[in-house]
Amino acid sequence: IAIGWLIVEDIAMVFVLVLIPALSGLLSGQGDGMTFTEVAILVATTCFWMILFVAVMMLGGNKAIPWALKKVVRTGNKDLFRLGVLAIALGCAIAAHYLFHVSFALGAFFAGMILSETEMKHAAEEESMAVRDFFTVLFFVSVGMLFNPGVLTTWSGIALVLTTLLIIIVGKSIAAFAIVKMFGYPKTTALTIAVSLAQIGEFSFMIASLGLSYNILDPVQNDAILAAAMISIVINPFLFVALNKYKEKKSATPLNEIAAS
């Protein structure tokens, strides 16, 4: 359930990444003079390009990408296969941005989705493992370089970080717990999902950086999001430890009652 939830979140955030550049003027307060018709046309244009890109990827990409990979596989060269996988991922991302005016993330997402449906998906995953690990390390290094510790040196900054952290850990977890319970799942399942979602990931950094570049967010707000994200990631394992102790205590309670009787 948690993995499915996160996938849906990622898909929704890809849509947000596409809309932010289009609505940057309105969101930053510079488009106050825009009428409802102009905003509707702007959103419709963005959605048109996104739908066109998805259609091209689903119709043409579903045939072109597997065909290209099979050609590369026939060469028997593993290095060439690795380069082919990377070229497809980066090529789709660049084409999405420059040809269809949507985000790099959407292009890379659909490239990965199509690659996962090919016969060579396991080989592609194995060959790209080293590159994925490299980019994972690079991602965390870049996040550390973006973070400004100065946000924790003022009371207003600390208050902003704590507020953001409460929204992530408390607000998001309560919402997840309530939704899972509403669908009839047991309390322990709802708690597990709530704890699993008590953090934010890479798309939050991307959205925050986009907001900063388009003057939608202030630098202090961006720093608060980065700080709260890193703190929530550090706290999350301890929340799981507390949850496991709660589960063990709950499962042991009936045995203690039987032993006492």
Side-chain angles (χ1 to χ4, degrees):
I1 297 171
I3 292 173
W5 192 309
L6 291 172
I7 290 173
V8 172
E9 275 190 359
D10 287 349
I11 294 173
M13 289 306 100
V14 166
F15 185 71
V16 171
L17 287 171
V18 171
L19 287 180
I20 285 178
L23 299 177
S24 58
L26 184 65
L27 295 173
S28 62
Q30 299 174 1
D32 294 337
M34 295 181 67
T35 63
F36 175 79
T37 304
E38 290 174 334
V39 174
I41 292 174
L42 192 59
V43 174
T45 303
T46 304
C47 291
F48 166 77
W49 282 111
M50 184 173 66
I51 292 171
L52 180 62
F53 171 74
V54 172
V56 169
M57 289 296 292
M58 297 304 293
L59 296 176
N62 263 334
K63 295 180 179 180
I65 291 176
W67 175 82
L69 279 181
K70 287 179 181 178
K71 290 288 185 181
V72 174
V73 168
R74 287 173 186 171
T75 64
N77 191 324
K78 287 188 176 182
D79 292 332
L80 187 60
F81 180 76
R82 187 182 299 115
L83 289 173
V85 172
L86 290 176
I88 288 170
L90 295 175
C92 290
I94 292 171
H97 182 72
Y98 289 104
L99 298 182
F100 297 91
H101 311 291
V102 295
S103 68
F104 287 100
L106 183 63
F109 176 82
F110 270 91
M113 189 174 69
I114 293 174
L115 283 171
S116 68
E117 295 178 355
T118 63
E119 299 175 358
M120 296 78 70
K121 63 178 181 179
H122 296 297
E125 182 179 359
E126 183 179 348
E127 292 299 326
S128 61
M129 187 75 70
V131 180
R132 186 180 67 181
D133 293 340
F134 167 76
F135 279 111
T136 300
V137 173
L138 187 62
F139 166 75
F140 282 105
V141 170
S142 63
V143 170
M145 293 174 66
L146 289 172
F147 174 61
N148 178 19
V151 72
L152 300 174
T153 59
T154 61
W155 289 111
S156 59
I158 293 173
L160 188 59
V161 171
L162 290 176
T163 302
T164 308
L165 192 61
L166 284 174
I167 294 172
I168 297 170
I169 294 180
V170 179
K172 191 178 178 185
S173 298
I174 291 175
F177 179 85
I179 292 172
V180 175
K181 283 291 293 179
M182 184 177 66
F183 280 92
Y185 287 93
K187 183 179 178 180
T188 53
T189 302
L191 285 172
T192 303
I193 304 304
V195 171
S196 300
L197 300 177
Q199 57 178 314
I200 57 177
E202 66 280 0
F203 273 108
S204 303
F205 303 136
M206 295 171 65
I207 292 172
S209 63
L210 266 182
L212 185 63
S213 62
Y214 286 103
N215 298 319
I216 300 171
L217 290 178
D218 294 329
V220 176
Q221 294 172 328
N222 182 61
D223 293 336
I225 292 173
L226 289 173
M230 287 189 284
I231 294 171
S232 68
I233 291 172
V234 171
I235 291 177
N236 197 254
F238 297 100
L239 295 177
F240 268 106
V241 170
L243 177 63
N244 290 334
K245 289 183 179 179
Y246 170 78
K247 288 181 178 180
E248 291 173 2
K249 184 178 179 181
K250 186 175 180 181
S251 61
T253 300
L255 295 176
N256 293 334
E257 291 177 354
I258 293 173
S261 62

